[in-house]
Amino acid sequence: MSDDEFFIVIKKVDGDIKGHAVRRGKIDKESIASTFSSEDNESSEVEGDHGKEPEVSEQDVNQSPFPQSFKEVERSFSQAMLMYRKSVVETIKFAPFFANLVLSFNIERIATSRGTKRQDLSTEEIEVYSLPSHAFGRLSRHKDRSEALIEGAQHLPKISTIGIISSYDAILSDLLRVIFEQKPEIVFTSDREVKFSELIELKSLDAIRENIISNEIEGVIRRSHHEQFSWMEKTFGMKLREGLDVWPDFIELCERRNLLTHTGGVVSEQYLKNCEHHGRKAERQVGDRLDVDIVYLTSAINIVSEVGYKLIHTLWRKFSPDQRRLADGVLNETGMNLIAAGEHELAEELLRFGVGQRQHSSDLLKRMMIVNLANAAKLGGHKERCEKALSSHDWSATSYQFQICVASVRNDFKEVKRLLKLGGDVIEITPSSFRDWPVFRDARNDAEVQVVFEEVFGEPLKRDIAQSSLTEAMADDDEAVEEVNKAIH
């Protein structure tokens, strides 16, 4: 068994999935049987070594609900942005389509079950049914539900715009907490006062410490978003907005969110003043109403993503310089995930930010970022930026793994084939990595590359869906979504 192999054990009852478990390492029939040994848990999803819910220790109960590291904050932020990018946006896009689909299905069901087909009026393409008048109420209810769903979807961009800023505020709160835990001197200054009544109420030093940190964080979060940055720049001694070209758009987004929350989107003097002060001159007047559609929401997600990622990674490197290797790796991985999700512009911007750092943990990770940066530019339709990123470095002295990645990004499939023929062990490429890594996306579609791949690895590059990797399946999902988008529009 290879080191990267794992097993998914699925339990079915009458053909329906009742639970699953993911296993690594040695597996046999006895261990499989023990996975679902408890009848009480047969209807639950099972994941872990013994197929049971882990025992909750006192330490787990008392564990802080907040992220404890910069890496955890970054992961939480990635999950939040993924939720908006995929779940929310796709729901808004598909809601009218599915509402009409369900309505059509229900109308046909009502017609065929409660009506009589009029053969004299029907043709091969048109069917006419006669229904009693009392069935009209049921039909109206179905139409009302579908119209309510469509109307509700139209409000989702506004609701989500408000929500995405709230998600950003929550992540900023977590980020500040991690910093204060590592650098308590930022909060616990010698002139800070604690009321005697608070000492009596809180009872312990740990409770007092937590109270002071929470109050400090709450005080920062209550500020406007440009004031938050001013506070951080002054307190941390950093220029966080330098080179942040998206800043004016971020301020406009935050100000629009305030309008949506407090005035229903009606433009105020403060909105115009704050936008203009931060470099975004609004083409609106006081009293105008701002709308939010799916295009604006998508842009808002990218704006918040860029500001959030850059802020997290800048402060991570500032306050935990010993974790630079981990930070570089996470940043590169985030860029790859964005590329795989089709977010090429955001991935390119984030990876450019990573490559442009003054210090990197290793030349290896920097070069990985450069290759992924070039790939993001290429997939985003910017071939010149792609070649500029690659040509700024000499790849001839690098490993075969780098060389085949660079060749693939350049669509030099002749070189890809030559390097593939050296063998997977030599170029340090496994079949799964060639199938999964975004840098090989175009190479995977080349017929001659597919032939060489099968000659080298003894298996076809393109496999049935039942055999495909998780990344391949996700890519198939994205393609399916794209097809539905085309059908809708």
Side-chain angles (χ1 to χ4, degrees), residues 362-433:
S362 68
D363 183 65
L364 174 67
L365 276 168
K366 182 179 180 179
R367 287 181 180 272
M368 289 169 65
M369 288 189 205
I370 293 170
V371 173
N372 287 318
L373 166 62
N375 191 42
K378 182 192 78 169
L379 296 178
H382 305 291
K383 294 183 179 179
E384 291 184 1
R385 296 209 296 255
C386 168
E387 185 56 36
K388 181 179 179 181
L390 291 177
S391 60
S392 63
H393 290 75
D394 179 16
W395 304 98
S396 60
T398 59
S399 67
Y400 288 127
Q401 186 184 83
F402 268 117
Q403 291 181 37
I404 193 172
C405 288
V406 171
S408 181
V409 172
R410 282 176 165 155
N411 284 353
D412 185 356
F413 301 142
K414 181 179 179 180
E415 179 68 2
V416 171
K417 290 184 294 181
R418 184 188 75 81
L419 291 168
L420 265 179
K421 290 177 180 178
L422 297 177
D425 292 338
V426 176
I427 61 176
E428 299 178 279
I429 294 291
T430 64
S432 61
S433 59

Coordinates of all heavy atoms in Angstrom, one line a residue, residues 362-433:
S362 N 12.3 29.5 2.3 CA 13.2 28.7 1.5 C 13.0 29.1 0.0 O 12.0 29.6 -0.4 CB 13.0 27.2 1.6 OG 11.7 26.8 1.1
D363 N 14.1 28.9 -0.8 CA 14.0 29.1 -2.2 C 13.0 28.2 -2.9 O 12.3 28.5 -3.8 CB 15.3 29.0 -2.9 CG 15.3 29.3 -4.4 OD1 15.0 30.5 -4.7 OD2 15.6 28.4 -5.2
L364 N 12.8 27.0 -2.3 CA 11.9 26.0 -2.8 C 10.5 26.5 -2.8 O 9.8 26.4 -3.8 CB 12.1 24.7 -2.0 CG 11.1 23.6 -2.3 CD1 11.3 23.0 -3.7 CD2 11.1 22.4 -1.3
L365 N 10.1 27.0 -1.6 CA 8.7 27.4 -1.5 C 8.4 28.7 -2.3 O 7.3 28.8 -2.9 CB 8.4 27.7 0.0 CG 7.9 26.5 0.8 CD1 7.9 26.8 2.3 CD2 6.5 26.0 0.3
K366 N 9.4 29.5 -2.4 CA 9.3 30.7 -3.3 C 9.0 30.3 -4.7 O 8.2 30.8 -5.4 CB 10.5 31.6 -3.2 CG 10.3 32.9 -4.0 CD 11.5 33.8 -3.8 CE 11.4 35.1 -4.7 NZ 12.5 36.0 -4.5
R367 N 9.8 29.3 -5.2 CA 9.7 28.9 -6.6 C 8.3 28.2 -6.8 O 7.7 28.3 -7.9 CB 10.8 27.9 -7.0 CG 12.2 28.6 -7.2 CD 13.3 27.7 -7.6 NE 14.5 28.3 -7.7 CZ 14.9 28.9 -8.9 NH1 14.2 28.8 -10.0 NH2 16.1 29.5 -9.0
M368 N 7.9 27.5 -5.8 CA 6.5 26.9 -5.9 C 5.5 27.9 -6.1 O 4.5 27.8 -6.9 CB 6.2 26.0 -4.7 CG 7.1 24.8 -4.6 SD 7.0 23.9 -3.0 CE 5.2 23.5 -2.9
M369 N 5.6 29.0 -5.3 CA 4.6 30.1 -5.5 C 4.7 30.8 -6.9 O 3.7 31.1 -7.5 CB 4.9 31.2 -4.4 CG 4.5 30.9 -3.0 SD 4.7 32.3 -2.0 CE 5.0 31.6 -0.4
I370 N 5.9 30.9 -7.4 CA 6.1 31.5 -8.7 C 5.4 30.6 -9.8 O 4.8 31.1 -10.7 CB 7.6 31.6 -9.0 CG1 8.3 32.7 -8.1 CG2 7.8 32.0 -10.5 CD1 9.8 32.7 -8.2
V371 N 5.6 29.3 -9.7 CA 5.0 28.4 -10.7 C 3.5 28.5 -10.6 O 2.8 28.6 -11.7 CB 5.5 27.0 -10.5 CG1 4.7 26.0 -11.4 CG2 7.0 26.8 -10.8
N372 N 2.9 28.5 -9.4 CA 1.5 28.6 -9.3 C 1.0 30.0 -9.7 O -0.1 30.1 -10.2 CB 1.1 28.3 -7.8 CG 1.2 26.8 -7.5 OD1 0.9 26.0 -8.3 ND2 1.8 26.5 -6.3
L373 N 1.8 31.0 -9.4 CA 1.4 32.4 -9.8 C 1.3 32.4 -11.3 O 0.4 33.0 -11.9 CB 2.5 33.4 -9.3 CG 2.5 34.8 -10.0 CD1 1.2 35.5 -9.7 CD2 3.7 35.6 -9.5
A374 N 2.3 31.9 -12.0 CA 2.3 31.9 -13.5 C 1.1 31.1 -14.0 O 0.4 31.5 -15.0 CB 3.6 31.3 -14.0
N375 N 0.8 30.0 -13.4 CA -0.3 29.1 -13.8 C -1.7 29.9 -13.6 O -2.5 29.8 -14.5 CB -0.3 27.8 -13.0 CG -1.3 26.8 -13.6 OD1 -1.4 26.7 -14.8 ND2 -2.0 26.1 -12.7
A376 N -1.8 30.6 -12.5 CA -3.0 31.4 -12.3 C -3.2 32.4 -13.3 O -4.3 32.7 -13.8 CB -3.0 32.0 -10.9
A377 N -2.1 33.1 -13.7 CA -2.1 34.1 -14.7 C -2.5 33.5 -16.1 O -3.3 34.1 -16.8 CB -0.8 34.8 -14.9
K378 N -1.9 32.3 -16.4 CA -2.3 31.7 -17.7 C -3.7 31.3 -17.7 O -4.4 31.6 -18.7 CB -1.4 30.4 -17.9 CG -1.6 29.7 -19.2 CD -1.0 28.4 -19.3 CE -1.8 27.3 -18.5 NZ -1.3 26.0 -18.8
L379 N -4.2 30.6 -16.7 CA -5.6 30.2 -16.7 C -6.6 31.3 -16.6 O -7.7 31.2 -17.0 CB -5.8 29.2 -15.5 CG -5.0 27.9 -15.5 CD1 -5.3 27.1 -14.2 CD2 -5.3 27.1 -16.7
G380 N -6.1 32.5 -16.2 CA -6.9 33.7 -16.1 C -6.9 34.4 -17.5 O -7.5 35.5 -17.6
G381 N -6.1 33.9 -18.4 CA -6.1 34.5 -19.8 C -5.0 35.6 -19.9 O -5.0 36.4 -20.9
H382 N -4.0 35.6 -19.0 CA -3.0 36.6 -19.1 C -1.6 35.9 -19.4 O -0.8 35.7 -18.5 CB -2.9 37.4 -17.8 CG -4.2 38.0 -17.3 ND1 -4.8 39.0 -18.0 CD2 -5.1 37.7 -16.3 CE1 -5.9 39.4 -17.4 NE2 -6.1 38.5 -16.4
K383 N -1.4 35.5 -20.6 CA -0.2 34.8 -21.0 C 1.1 35.6 -20.8 O 2.1 35.0 -20.5 CB -0.4 34.3 -22.5 CG -1.5 33.3 -22.7 CD -1.5 32.8 -24.1 CE -2.6 31.8 -24.3 NZ -2.7 31.3 -25.7
E384 N 1.0 36.9 -21.1 CA 2.2 37.7 -20.9 C 2.6 37.8 -19.4 O 3.8 37.7 -19.2 CB 1.9 39.1 -21.4 CG 1.7 39.2 -22.9 CD 1.5 40.7 -23.4 OE1 1.6 41.6 -22.5 OE2 1.4 40.9 -24.6
R385 N 1.7 37.9 -18.5 CA 2.0 37.9 -17.1 C 2.5 36.5 -16.7 O 3.4 36.4 -15.8 CB 0.8 38.3 -16.3 CG 0.3 39.7 -16.5 CD -0.3 40.3 -15.3 NE -1.5 39.7 -14.9 CZ -2.8 40.1 -15.1 NH1 -3.0 41.2 -15.7 NH2 -3.8 39.5 -14.6
C386 N 2.0 35.5 -17.3 CA 2.5 34.2 -17.0 C 3.9 34.0 -17.4 O 4.8 33.6 -16.6 CB 1.6 33.1 -17.7 SG 2.3 31.5 -17.8
E387 N 4.3 34.4 -18.6 CA 5.6 34.2 -19.1 C 6.6 35.2 -18.3 O 7.7 34.8 -18.0 CB 5.7 34.5 -20.5 CG 7.1 34.3 -21.2 CD 7.6 32.9 -20.9 OE1 6.8 31.9 -20.9 OE2 8.8 32.7 -20.7
K388 N 6.1 36.4 -17.9 CA 7.0 37.3 -17.2 C 7.3 36.7 -15.8 O 8.5 36.8 -15.4 CB 6.2 38.6 -16.9 CG 7.0 39.6 -16.2 CD 6.2 40.9 -16.0 CE 7.0 41.9 -15.2 NZ 6.2 43.2 -15.0
A389 N 6.4 36.0 -15.2 CA 6.7 35.4 -13.9 C 7.7 34.2 -14.0 O 8.6 34.1 -13.2 CB 5.4 34.9 -13.2
L390 N 7.5 33.4 -15.1 CA 8.4 32.3 -15.3 C 9.8 32.7 -15.7 O 10.8 32.2 -15.3 CB 7.8 31.3 -16.3 CG 6.6 30.6 -15.8 CD1 6.0 29.7 -17.0 CD2 6.8 29.7 -14.6
S391 N 9.9 33.7 -16.6 CA 11.2 34.1 -17.2 C 12.0 34.9 -16.3 O 13.2 35.1 -16.5 CB 10.9 34.9 -18.5 OG 10.2 36.1 -18.2
S392 N 11.5 35.3 -15.1 CA 12.3 36.0 -14.2 C 13.2 35.1 -13.3 O 14.0 35.6 -12.5 CB 11.4 36.8 -13.2 OG 10.5 35.9 -12.5
H393 N 13.1 33.8 -13.6 CA 13.9 32.8 -12.8 C 14.5 31.8 -13.8 O 13.9 31.4 -14.8 CB 13.1 32.1 -11.7 CG 12.7 33.1 -10.6 ND1 11.7 34.0 -10.7 CD2 13.2 33.2 -9.3 CE1 11.6 34.7 -9.6 NE2 12.5 34.2 -8.7
D394 N 15.6 31.3 -13.4 CA 16.3 30.2 -14.2 C 15.9 28.8 -13.6 O 16.1 28.5 -12.5 CB 17.8 30.4 -14.1 CG 18.5 29.3 -14.9 OD1 17.9 28.6 -15.7 OD2 19.7 29.1 -14.6
W395 N 15.2 28.0 -14.5 CA 14.7 26.7 -14.1 C 15.6 25.6 -14.5 O 15.3 24.4 -14.1 CB 13.3 26.5 -14.6 CG 12.3 27.6 -14.2 CD1 12.0 28.7 -15.0 CD2 11.7 27.8 -13.0 NE1 11.1 29.5 -14.3 CE2 10.9 29.0 -13.1 CE3 11.6 27.0 -11.8 CZ2 10.1 29.4 -12.0 CZ3 10.8 27.5 -10.8 CH2 10.1 28.7 -10.9
S396 N 16.6 25.9 -15.2 CA 17.5 24.8 -15.8 C 18.2 24.0 -14.7 O 18.5 22.8 -14.9 CB 18.5 25.4 -16.8 OG 19.3 26.3 -16.2
A397 N 18.5 24.7 -13.6 CA 19.2 24.0 -12.5 C 18.3 23.4 -11.5 O 18.8 22.9 -10.5 CB 20.3 24.9 -11.9
T398 N 17.0 23.5 -11.7 CA 16.1 23.0 -10.6 C 15.8 21.5 -10.9 O 16.2 21.0 -11.9 CB 14.8 23.8 -10.7 OG1 14.2 23.7 -12.0 CG2 15.0 25.3 -10.4
S399 N 15.1 20.9 -10.0 CA 14.7 19.5 -10.1 C 13.8 19.3 -11.3 O 13.2 20.2 -11.8 CB 14.0 19.1 -8.8 OG 12.7 19.7 -8.7
Y400 N 13.8 18.0 -11.7 CA 12.9 17.6 -12.8 C 11.4 17.9 -12.5 O 10.6 18.2 -13.4 CB 13.0 16.1 -13.1 CG 14.4 15.8 -13.8 CD1 15.2 14.8 -13.2 CD2 14.8 16.4 -14.9 CE1 16.4 14.4 -13.9 CE2 16.0 16.1 -15.5 CZ 16.8 15.1 -15.0 OH 17.9 14.8 -15.6
Q401 N 11.1 17.8 -11.2 CA 9.7 18.1 -10.8 C 9.3 19.6 -11.2 O 8.3 19.8 -11.7 CB 9.5 17.9 -9.3 CG 8.1 18.0 -8.9 CD 7.9 17.9 -7.4 OE1 8.1 18.9 -6.6 NE2 7.6 16.7 -6.9
F402 N 10.2 20.5 -10.9 CA 10.0 21.9 -11.2 C 10.0 22.1 -12.8 O 9.1 22.8 -13.3 CB 11.1 22.8 -10.6 CG 10.7 23.4 -9.3 CD1 11.5 23.1 -8.2 CD2 9.6 24.2 -9.2 CE1 11.1 23.6 -6.9 CE2 9.3 24.8 -7.9 CZ 10.1 24.4 -6.8
Q403 N 10.9 21.4 -13.4 CA 11.0 21.6 -14.9 C 9.7 21.1 -15.6 O 9.3 21.7 -16.6 CB 12.2 20.8 -15.4 CG 13.5 21.4 -15.0 CD 14.7 20.7 -15.5 OE1 14.7 20.2 -16.7 NE2 15.8 20.6 -14.7
I404 N 9.2 20.0 -15.2 CA 8.0 19.5 -15.8 C 6.8 20.4 -15.5 O 5.9 20.5 -16.3 CB 7.7 18.0 -15.5 CG1 6.6 17.4 -16.4 CG2 7.2 17.8 -14.0 CD1 6.4 15.9 -16.3
C405 N 6.7 20.9 -14.3 CA 5.7 21.9 -14.0 C 5.7 23.1 -14.8 O 4.7 23.6 -15.3 CB 5.7 22.2 -12.5 SG 5.3 20.9 -11.3
V406 N 6.9 23.7 -15.0 CA 7.1 24.9 -15.8 C 6.8 24.6 -17.2 O 6.1 25.4 -17.9 CB 8.6 25.4 -15.6 CG1 8.8 26.5 -16.7 CG2 8.8 25.9 -14.2
A407 N 7.2 23.4 -17.7 CA 6.9 23.1 -19.1 C 5.4 23.0 -19.3 O 4.9 23.4 -20.4 CB 7.6 21.8 -19.5
S408 N 4.7 22.4 -18.4 CA 3.3 22.3 -18.5 C 2.6 23.6 -18.5 O 1.6 23.9 -19.2 CB 2.7 21.4 -17.3 OG 1.3 21.2 -17.5
V409 N 3.0 24.5 -17.6 CA 2.4 25.8 -17.5 C 2.6 26.6 -18.8 O 1.7 27.3 -19.3 CB 3.0 26.7 -16.3 CG1 2.5 28.1 -16.4 CG2 2.6 26.0 -15.0
R410 N 3.8 26.4 -19.5 CA 4.1 27.0 -20.8 C 3.4 26.3 -21.9 O 3.6 26.6 -23.1 CB 5.6 27.0 -21.0 CG 6.3 28.2 -20.2 CD 7.7 28.1 -20.3 NE 8.4 29.4 -19.9 CZ 9.6 29.5 -19.4 NH1 10.4 28.4 -19.4 NH2 10.1 30.7 -19.0
N411 N 2.7 25.2 -21.6 CA 2.0 24.4 -22.7 C 3.1 23.8 -23.6 O 2.8 23.5 -24.8 CB 1.0 25.2 -23.5 CG -0.3 25.4 -22.7 OD1 -0.5 24.8 -21.6 ND2 -1.2 26.2 -23.2
D412 N 4.3 23.5 -23.1 CA 5.3 22.9 -23.9 C 5.2 21.4 -23.7 O 5.9 20.7 -22.9 CB 6.7 23.4 -23.4 CG 7.8 22.8 -24.2 OD1 7.6 22.0 -25.1 OD2 9.0 23.2 -24.0
F413 N 4.2 20.8 -24.3 CA 3.8 19.4 -24.1 C 4.9 18.4 -24.6 O 5.0 17.3 -24.1 CB 2.5 19.0 -24.7 CG 1.4 19.9 -24.2 CD1 0.4 20.4 -25.0 CD2 1.3 20.3 -22.8 CE1 -0.7 21.1 -24.5 CE2 0.3 21.1 -22.3 CZ -0.7 21.5 -23.2
K414 N 5.7 18.9 -25.6 CA 6.8 18.1 -26.0 C 7.8 17.8 -24.9 O 8.3 16.7 -24.7 CB 7.5 18.7 -27.2 CG 8.7 18.0 -27.8 CD 9.3 18.7 -29.0 CE 10.5 17.9 -29.5 NZ 11.1 18.6 -30.7
E415 N 8.1 18.9 -24.1 CA 9.0 18.8 -23.0 C 8.4 18.0 -21.9 O 9.0 17.2 -21.2 CB 9.4 20.2 -22.5 CG 10.3 20.2 -21.3 CD 11.7 19.6 -21.6 OE1 12.0 19.3 -22.8 OE2 12.5 19.6 -20.6
V416 N 7.0 18.1 -21.7 CA 6.3 17.4 -20.7 C 6.5 15.9 -21.0 O 6.7 15.1 -20.1 CB 4.8 17.8 -20.6 CG1 4.1 16.8 -19.7 CG2 4.7 19.2 -20.1
K417 N 6.3 15.5 -22.2 CA 6.4 14.1 -22.6 C 7.8 13.6 -22.4 O 8.0 12.5 -21.9 CB 6.0 13.9 -24.1 CG 4.5 14.1 -24.3 CD 4.1 13.8 -25.8 CE 4.8 14.8 -26.7 NZ 4.4 14.6 -28.1
R418 N 8.8 14.4 -22.7 CA 10.2 14.0 -22.6 C 10.5 13.7 -21.1 O 11.2 12.7 -20.8 CB 11.2 15.1 -23.1 CG 12.6 14.7 -23.1 CD 13.6 15.8 -23.4 NE 13.7 16.8 -22.3 CZ 14.4 16.6 -21.3 NH1 15.2 15.6 -21.1 NH2 14.5 17.6 -20.3
L419 N 10.1 14.6 -20.2 CA 10.4 14.4 -18.8 C 9.6 13.3 -18.2 O 10.1 12.6 -17.4 CB 10.0 15.8 -18.1 CG 11.0 16.9 -18.4 CD1 10.4 18.2 -17.9 CD2 12.4 16.7 -17.8
L420 N 8.3 13.1 -18.7 CA 7.5 12.0 -18.2 C 8.2 10.7 -18.4 O 8.2 9.7 -17.6 CB 6.1 12.0 -18.8 CG 5.0 12.7 -18.1 CD1 3.7 12.6 -18.9 CD2 4.8 12.1 -16.7
K421 N 8.8 10.6 -19.6 CA 9.5 9.3 -20.0 C 10.7 8.9 -19.1 O 11.1 7.8 -19.1 CB 10.0 9.4 -21.4 CG 8.8 9.4 -22.4 CD 9.3 9.5 -23.9 CE 8.2 9.5 -24.8 NZ 8.6 9.7 -26.3
L422 N 11.2 9.9 -18.3 CA 12.2 9.6 -17.3 C 11.7 8.7 -16.2 O 12.5 8.1 -15.5 CB 12.8 10.9 -16.8 CG 13.5 11.8 -17.8 CD1 14.0 13.1 -17.1 CD2 14.7 11.1 -18.5
G423 N 10.4 8.7 -16.0 CA 9.9 7.9 -14.9 C 9.4 8.7 -13.7 O 10.0 9.7 -13.4
G424 N 8.4 8.2 -13.1 CA 7.8 9.0 -11.9 C 8.8 9.2 -10.8 O 8.8 10.2 -10.1
D425 N 9.6 8.1 -10.5 CA 10.6 8.2 -9.4 C 11.6 9.3 -9.7 O 12.1 10.0 -8.8 CB 11.2 6.9 -9.2 CG 10.3 5.8 -8.6 OD1 9.2 6.2 -8.1 OD2 10.5 4.6 -8.8
V426 N 12.0 9.4 -10.9 CA 13.1 10.4 -11.3 C 12.5 11.8 -11.2 O 13.2 12.7 -10.7 CB 13.6 10.1 -12.7 CG1 14.6 11.2 -13.1 CG2 14.2 8.7 -12.8
I427 N 11.3 12.0 -11.8 CA 10.8 13.4 -11.8 C 10.0 13.7 -10.5 O 9.5 14.8 -10.4 CB 9.9 13.6 -13.0 CG1 8.8 12.7 -13.1 CG2 10.8 13.5 -14.3 CD1 7.8 12.9 -14.2
E428 N 9.9 12.7 -9.6 CA 9.1 12.9 -8.4 C 7.7 13.3 -8.6 O 7.2 14.2 -7.9 CB 9.9 13.9 -7.5 CG 11.3 13.5 -7.1 CD 12.0 14.6 -6.3 OE1 12.5 15.6 -6.9 OE2 12.0 14.4 -5.0
I429 N 7.1 12.6 -9.5 CA 5.7 12.9 -9.8 C 4.9 11.5 -9.8 O 5.3 10.6 -10.4 CB 5.5 13.5 -11.3 CG1 6.1 14.9 -11.3 CG2 4.0 13.6 -11.6 CD1 5.4 15.9 -10.5
T430 N 3.8 11.5 -9.0 CA 3.0 10.3 -8.9 C 1.8 10.4 -9.8 O 1.5 11.5 -10.3 CB 2.5 10.1 -7.5 OG1 1.6 11.2 -7.1 CG2 3.6 10.0 -6.5
P431 N 1.2 9.3 -10.2 CA 0.0 9.4 -11.0 C -1.1 10.4 -10.5 O -1.7 11.2 -11.2 CB -0.5 8.0 -11.1 CG 0.7 7.1 -10.9 CD 1.5 7.9 -9.9
S432 N -1.3 10.3 -9.2 CA -2.3 11.1 -8.5 C -2.0 12.6 -8.6 O -2.8 13.4 -8.8 CB -2.6 10.7 -7.1 OG -1.4 10.8 -6.3
S433 N -0.7 12.9 -8.4 CA -0.3 14.3 -8.4 C -0.4 14.9 -9.8 O -0.8 16.0 -10.0 CB 1.2 14.5 -7.9 OG 2.1 13.7 -8.7

